[in-house]
Amino acid sequence: MAMRCLLVDDNARFLEAAKALLERGGASVVALAGSSTDALAFARELRPDVALLDIDLDGESGFDVAELLSGIVPHLIMISTHAQEDFEELIAESPVLGLLPKSLLSAEAVGEMVGAEG
């Protein structure tokens, strides 16, 4: 069964491109969200396996969204164009598995991060 993903980013063009990329790799993208409100509603309704969250959501922190989703979505991964080193402390203090650079986004990379948990 395909990994079910929720994508959360404030850039609609990126959301569409990322959805196509992940689905080509075998993942199922169940919803695209542009805000914490949408992300929370989709997470509660669709119960995805993993949420991919942009760090900066047009004035909202992806880390705050991760906290909201932490009891609903089992696997949370930050995505960003920024370097992981810039966010090491925030990542360590949050419920996310880590940061996946947008340039390396793929269903395989997401699967590896989820599989490495534990």
Side-chain angles (χ1 to χ4, degrees):
M1 187 167 163
M3 178 175 40
R4 300 174 69 249
C5 301
L6 167 62
L7 291 174
V8 185
D9 196 296
D10 59 342
N11 184 318
R13 291 176 65 194
F14 173 78
L15 284 173
E16 290 299 330
K19 177 181 190 242
L21 181 69
L22 290 168
E23 289 182 340
R24 273 197 307 272
S28 171
V29 177
V30 297
L32 305 175
S35 68
S36 60
T37 303
D38 291 344
L40 193 55
F42 286 133
R44 286 179 173 149
E45 177 185 346
L46 302 170
R47 301 292 177 169
D49 302 312
V50 61
L52 301 164
L53 311 158
D54 189 21
I55 285 180
D56 182 24
L57 293 168
D58 193 27
E60 293 184 276
S61 166
F63 290 102
D64 291 342
V65 179
E67 290 293 335
L68 293 172
L69 299 180
S70 67
I72 303 166
V73 180
H75 307 289
L76 304 167
I77 298 172
M78 300 308 296
I79 55 175
S80 183
T81 56
H82 300 287
Q84 180 162 330
E85 296 78 34
D86 297 340
F87 296 96
E88 290 287 344
E89 191 172 314
L90 289 170
I91 291 168
E93 295 171 357
S94 76
V96 304
L97 298 176
L99 183 139
L100 181 60
K102 287 183 177 181
S103 62
L104 300 177
L105 182 63
S106 69
E108 181 180 359
V110 172
E112 287 174 5
M113 286 186 80
V114 169
E117 182 183 31

